[in-house]
Amino acid sequence: MAKLLEGKQAIVLGIANKWSIAYAIAQAFSREGARLTLTYLGEHQKEAIESLANGLSVDRVLPCDVTKDEDLEKLTAGLGPLDAVVHCLAFANREDLGKPFVETGRAGFLLAQEVSAYSLVAVARATTPHMRNGGSLTTLTYLGSVRVVPNYNVMGVAKASLEASVRYLASDLGPQKIRVNAISAGPVKTASARAVKDFSTILDTVTKRAPLRRNCDTEEVGDTAVFLASHLGRGVTGNVIYVDSGMQIMGL
Ligand code: NAD
Ligand code: IMJ
């Protein structure tokens, strides 16, 4: 079968290690023939990301802190036409994920919004001018945006803002044939989830209640990201696609 992303240039933001959802997405994009730019946050992650990039169709590995405009400007420096961007990152203060939401302070609220939601808008502004033949921008979200999930708190509010940003960006960029979507993944044991209290119980609940009676894996998230970036996804924009074994349809 022909590769779905042959000849396409993509940027994947948010790989921290081999468990990262962004790494599974980069692997799926690479398998489907895309050329990749990967970004990492801290200088201490540089070597790990470079070694993960080995074996994938990666042309460039760049530092990018999404709170820094100068890093965002460098994302596309020297790059030719761009086809796809995957935004796969989030951050909130650890304390804000444990205490009651009502106790969230202004600074923690704004930090979660800046890194986890506004960054999609900033990334869109920095990259979409390079999508000259149309393109696709995909982000990662979680059910805690639309339902109350214990401890998700300030991140749930940030994800609600992220999902609304997807819709407004899709409306703005649609005339340029740029599609904007989110994938709402079920719980996955990554570095961002490991710290969560009772995460194993959450994973167990999914195996008991979700229609598919199992947890989702990062490979299926990667495959959905491929679909969205490919010609197959050409009619899909402004959407949140759940890749969660069907968990979000359940009332109890
Ligand atoms: P991860 O820890 O591997 O990835 C999070 C990434 O965010 C890291 O690479 C980190 O460096 C990056 N990041 C944080 N602050 C940043 C900044 N200022 N600038 C640039 N990058 C920054 O965890 P993950 O679970 O793969 O998370 C990826 C995305 O998937 C996140 O948006 C997360 O909310 C979402 N998600 C995760 C799950 C889950 O259960 N793990 C479920 C649904 C959605
Ligand atoms: C995170 C917190 C609470 C409950 C949670 C999660 N559930 C899931 C997650 C049920 C699935 C993981 N997730 C979807 C995230 O978006 C995580 C974001 C996150 C995680 C951390 C941990 C370490 C830290 N800051 C973080 N910021 C964002 O210091």
Side-chain angles (χ1 to χ4, degrees), residues 39-113:
T39 74
Y40 59 91
L41 176 58
E43 208 44 40
H44 65 282
Q45 288 176 338
K46 185 171 191 244
E47 277 169 29
I49 308 303
E50 280 172 351
S51 91
L52 291 176
N54 275 333
L56 299 181
S57 52
V58 172
D59 294 332
R60 308 184 311 156
V61 178
L62 302 172
C64 181
D65 178 336
V66 293
T67 64
K68 294 187 178 150
D69 286 336
E70 59 272 26
D71 284 8
L72 291 168
E73 280 160 23
K74 287 181 200 146
L75 267 184
T76 53
L79 194 71
L82 177 67
D83 302 288
V85 173
V86 187
H87 169 279
C88 200
L89 54 94
F91 189 77
N93 285 328
R94 180 105 173 244
E95 313 82 83
D96 288 332
L97 298 171
K99 64 187 184 197
F101 177 65
V102 69
E103 288 171 23
T104 308
R106 192 185 301 268
F109 187 97
L110 293 175
L111 174 70
Q113 288 286 336

Side-chain angles (χ1 to χ4, degrees), residues 13-17 19-22 39-42 45 64-67 87-91 115 139-143 152 155 159 162 183-193 199:
L13 301 102
I15 301 183
N17 53 46
W19 294 286
S20 293
I21 294 173
T39 74
Y40 59 91
L41 176 58
Q45 288 176 338
C64 181
D65 178 336
V66 293
T67 64
H87 169 279
C88 200
L89 54 94
F91 189 77
V115 177
T139 187
L140 266 291
T141 187
Y142 178 61
L143 183 65
Y152 203 55
M155 270 308 307
K159 291 298 194 188
L162 178 73
I183 297 172
S184 187
V188 179
K189 206 160 195 167
T190 61
S192 288
F199 200 73

Side-chain angles (χ1 to χ4, degrees), residues 2 13 25 38 51 66 89-90 99 110 114 138 152 158 163 167 174 196 212 226 229-230 241 244:
L13 301 102
I25 292 171
L38 305 182
S51 91
V66 293
L89 54 94
K99 64 187 184 197
L110 293 175
E114 178 177 25
T138 302
Y152 203 55
E163 291 175 22
R167 291 184 285 273
V196 178
L212 297 181
V226 166
S230 77
I241 299 186
D244 69 339

Side-chain angles (χ1 to χ4, degrees), residues 181-213:
N181 292 287
I183 297 172
S184 187
V188 179
K189 206 160 195 167
T190 61
S192 288
R194 218 167 284 269
V196 178
K197 205 160 53 125
D198 298 329
F199 200 73
S200 311
T201 315
I202 294 168
L203 293 173
D204 280 352
T205 306
V206 174
T207 65
K208 293 193 187 93
R209 306 254 172 87
L212 297 181
R213 299 287 190 275

